Amino acid sequence: MAELAELEDPKTREVNEKHGDDHGVNLSKLRALAKRLKTQQELASRLWETDDTAARLLAILICRPKAFERDELDVMLREARTPKVHDWLVNYVVKKNPHSEELRLAWSADPDPVVASAGWALTTERVAKKPEGLDLAGLLDVIEAQMKEAPARLQWAMNHCLAQIGIEHPEHRTRAIDIGERLEVLKDYPTSPGCTSPFAPVWITEMVRRRHDA
């Protein structure tokens, strides 16, 4: 904790706080520290218990993703107060855990929109990597009915799923683009030069073009 405190930088914190993340540790330095510590499950658990954002990010980097029980991960996700901790927990831990599919189904139906967004993130992963058994048309039905009014974090996750369906599954592409155009979610999202807009029709078209050109 003392070492993390030394890495704290006020300017980094100022930038992070604009995104809802209350820490000021440069992530490259955090990763370097994790590399030095290597995998330490017990230390990871103790760092998580501090409720400190930088400590929790470090915990995620040094834990053993497969070591967690289903209920432990459910509690951890609900405790993950900040967007970065939430995203890293889902991407670096839950996706590699044997209970990920069970959690995907439970979280997708959760009344808490932030918890539900984790379920959608896991669904997006399956759309891309293991779509067998997924009802893609049914997912598009839910997105069409709910995405426009969904809270920001959940809306972002649903939109990512919409784009992924359009990118990966040509048979659903026209409908995915059409849903995006009608709902206009993230249509005016500010996009830096050289980056792809998160507006689904633009995102889908651009990614398909790149793959075609590759």
Side-chain angles (χ1 to χ4, degrees), residues 73-92:
L73 289 173
D74 185 66
V75 170
M76 288 168 77
L77 186 86
R78 292 168 197 280
E79 289 175 346
R81 297 172 293 100
T82 68
K84 185 67 78 181
V85 172
H86 174 102
D87 291 344
W88 278 24
L89 182 67
V90 172
N91 286 303
Y92 298 167

Side-chain angles (χ1 to χ4, degrees), residues 86 107-108 112-122 153-155 157-158:
H86 174 102
W107 288 344
S108 295
D112 181 330
V114 176
V115 174
S117 76
W120 279 92
L122 294 171
R153 296 282 294 281
L154 179 55
Q155 185 184 67
M158 283 182 153

Side-chain angles (χ1 to χ4, degrees), residues 25 51 63 71-72 97 116 135 148 153 159 170 184 191 203:
V25 179
D51 193 26
C63 76
D71 291 350
E72 274 183 285
N97 183 276
D135 176 8
K148 182 88 173 169
R153 296 282 294 281
N159 183 70
E184 297 188 335
T191 307
W203 190 355

